[in-house]
Amino acid sequence: MTHHATPGAGTGAGAPLRDDRRVVLVVAILASFVVSLDSSVVTVALPAIRHELGGGLIVQQWTVDAYLITLGALILVAGSMSDLFGRVRIVRWGLVVFGIASIACAAAPDGVFLVVARAFQGVGGALITPSSLALIVAAFRGVAQTRAIGTWTAWSSAAVIAGPVLGGVIVDSIGWRWIFVLTAVPIAVTIVLVRRISADVRTGPHARVDVVGAALAVVGVGALVLGLIEQGRVGWSSPLVIAAIVVGAASLVAFVPWERRAPAPLVPLALFRVRNFAVGNVATLSIYGALGMMGFAVTLFVQEVWAFPAWLAGFATLPPTLLLLALSTSVGTWSGRLGPRIFMSVGPVLGGLGALLMLVAGERPDYWWGILPGMLLLGFGLTLMVTPLTSTILGSVSEEQAGVGSAVNNAIARIASLVVVALAGVVLGGEMSVDGFHRAVITMAVLLVVGGVVSAIGIRNPERTAPERTAPERTAPERQGSDS
């Protein structure tokens, strides 16, 4: 029989899901892996999609951003829904929606249908993402929690970069549509595992969903991205572009005062009074914007300028994946002992230097000197940064707010990526070229270095409360659970 943790359960001596912790970790990894994989696997299929369905760079941008718009905007709603209906239940709903939308993507007869189906995939992804991480926070305590988040981060981040490898092999062997069909396999496995979790976590019957705030977030993000993408087709002076940007900006401006007075705000603004939460999310905005540009620009460059086949383009971005899988769990452990500040400061700067190394790439294909050194350094910097960033943000809020805290951070990460991809037309000059790629890697480098500087200035390491146990920073109500 499924039972629910009360608000106090999350802060007591026991973790509400501790008896299911192994299943929880596998479910969280698989669910997040599928969502992260789908956001990256499609990038390597963009030239094939463009060839079959037409539409040029605009359709390529929308194929990426339709997913990211609903994912980024509705993650906030999903965080509230997980608190209201239970995190396990919301993960299960998200998996079903995501699976159905994936099949629809595979059957898309034209670009418009594909874009709409991708938007519904984003809805499923939004339901999955914050709840999966919040389940880990509920199941683990202390250094074990940091280790678990490190493992989760390694696989989730690896999916983002491994996606082009898997996608490239599939596109060249059996066609781009199969990347969406095969997504249904891990979803089916995860649904079965979710049913094995014996408990659930929710904050109680008084939780509500902020419908007005959700509408403002969706309209604000969606309209703004619509304007940024469509300007590449119709120009900045187009009434459509002007109207979209004005409506989007007005909705986002109205979002803040509404959240201040909403009885059940979508984004509790009080969270941003916690220093590490606020600074960590500013760093996320910059760093994940850079990673969004990396996934979009590198795969397009090696295919459209160097004429790499899709499978080889996928392998071109593989090195960071190997570093993430090899080192992220260890980095999570060391971050729990030494504090996150040094990792969050040095990692992005090293990643920025790696991006700049790719400036040597030219018209003549030369992966070994033009791309590989930069990808290796970028991957090492990414490995140092991602787990401490996630642990710091989640560790700075109470367990009861883990769902919404994870939702806010994930929303910021996805929105950063989608805005940068929406601006890709401006950065690239309308089509991929060597000069456009150089502008893209400079943009990546600047964003990464800014994220490192913000972390160095603003992040504070949590105080050690006992020599044998180092946990992320706590805020009231303080978590008192111990790991065993």
Side-chain angles (χ1 to χ4, degrees):
M1 178 178 177
T2 300
H3 61 278
H4 300 281
T6 63
T11 58
L17 298 180
R18 65 178 298 118
D19 294 335
D20 301 302
R21 60 169 58 181
R22 291 185 179 178
V23 177
V24 164
L25 184 58
V26 173
V27 165
I29 288 172
L30 280 175
S32 185
F33 184 87
V34 169
V35 174
S36 299
L37 181 68
D38 199 82
S39 66
S40 62
V41 70
V42 74
T43 57
V44 78
L46 292 177
I49 291 172
R50 176 179 180 174
H51 177 74
E52 181 174 339
L53 302 182
L57 182 63
I58 302 298
V59 167
Q60 291 177 318
Q61 288 175 288
W62 272 116
T63 300
V64 174
D65 272 357
Y67 176 81
L68 291 175
I69 286 173
T70 51
L71 178 63
L74 295 180
I75 271 179
L76 297 170
V77 183
S80 298
M81 290 178 66
S82 71
D83 292 337
L84 176 60
F85 297 109
R87 292 165 191 170
V88 175
R89 180 179 296 177
I90 292 300
V91 166
R92 187 164 57 243
W93 290 355
L95 290 167
V96 171
V97 172
F98 198 96
I100 294 172
S102 296
I103 300 301
C105 288
D110 54 43
V112 173
F113 189 97
L114 176 62
V115 167
V116 172
R118 287 282 290 165
F120 276 100
Q121 270 194 316
V123 174
L127 294 173
I128 294 168
T129 304
S131 296
S132 65
L133 183 54
L135 286 175
I136 293 178
V137 175
F140 294 86
R141 290 290 181 267
V143 174
Q145 184 185 101
T146 308
R147 265 197 315 270
I149 291 177
T151 303
W152 176 88
T153 301
W155 284 100
S156 301
S157 301
V160 175
I161 302 173
V165 179
L166 178 61
V169 173
I170 293 172
V171 169
D172 283 341
S173 58
I174 55 179
W176 66 266
R177 296 179 185 274
W178 284 93
I179 64 177
F180 298 110
V181 174
L182 296 180
T183 301
V185 176
I187 287 176
V189 172
T190 309
I191 290 175
V192 172
L193 289 174
V194 167
R195 296 179 62 86
R196 293 180 57 189
I197 300 177
S198 60
D200 205 345
V201 180
R202 64 186 182 191
T203 58
H206 302 296
R208 287 183 288 176
V209 176
D210 179 12
V211 177
V212 175
L216 289 173
V218 172
V219 172
V221 173
L224 190 61
V225 171
L226 170 65
L228 292 175
I229 290 180
E230 289 299 308
Q231 64 78 29
R233 183 173 64 87
V234 297
W236 289 106
S237 60
S238 166
L240 170 65
V241 172
I242 294 173
I245 291 177
V246 169
V247 169
S251 298
L252 292 177
V253 169
F255 179 80
V256 175
W258 169 260
E259 292 300 287
R260 284 177 176 168
R261 67 173 185 270
L266 195 65
V267 179
L269 298 180
L271 288 176
F272 288 92
R273 290 199 289 268
V274 179
R275 183 184 183 109
N276 275 6
F277 185 86
V279 174
N281 278 292
V282 172
T284 296
L285 185 67
S286 183
I287 291 166
Y288 278 84
L291 298 181
M293 178 64 78
M294 181 196 76
F296 189 79
V298 174
T299 52
L300 281 186
F301 175 73
V302 297
Q303 288 184 87
E304 297 190 355
V305 176
W306 284 359
F308 279 22
W311 70 268
L312 192 56
F315 277 99
T317 59
L318 181 60
T321 303
L322 303 179
L323 289 170
L324 279 164
L325 290 175
L327 300 176
S328 278
T329 301
S330 297
V331 169
T333 301
W334 281 104
S335 173
R337 294 173 179 171
L338 302 178
R341 185 182 180 189
I342 185 67
F343 297 92
M344 292 174 61
S345 304
V346 173
V349 174
L350 289 178
L353 294 175
L356 292 178
L357 287 179
M358 289 186 276
L359 285 172
V360 302
E363 291 283 354
R364 185 174 64 86
D366 187 4
Y367 173 75
W368 301 110
W369 292 106
I371 298 293
L372 180 60
M375 292 298 286
L376 286 172
L377 188 55
L378 180 63
F380 183 67
L382 179 68
T383 301
L384 290 180
M385 168 268 301
V386 172
T387 298
L389 175 63
T390 303
S391 298
T392 297
I393 291 173
L394 267 293
S396 65
V397 299
S398 63
E399 195 278 324
E400 296 90 343
Q401 294 176 309
V404 69
S406 173
V408 170
N409 182 242
N410 274 282
I412 288 173
R414 311 300 178 177
I415 289 169
S417 294
L418 77 88
V419 170
V420 169
V421 171
L423 285 168
V426 177
V427 175
L428 299 176
E431 292 288 339
M432 178 57 76
S433 64
V434 173
D435 289 341
F437 179 68
H438 289 173
R439 289 191 294 271
V441 296
I442 291 172
T443 302
M444 290 163 51
V446 170
L447 290 172
L448 286 166
V449 171
V450 167
V453 171
V454 166
S455 299
I457 294 173
I459 292 295
R460 294 291 179 265
N461 288 332
E463 294 183 4
R464 295 170 180 252
T465 56
E468 72 278 2
R469 174 175 174 248
T470 303
E473 179 180 341
R474 304 294 195 242
T475 58
E478 190 169 311
R479 291 180 221 163
Q480 299 171 350
S482 59
D483 181 61
S484 60

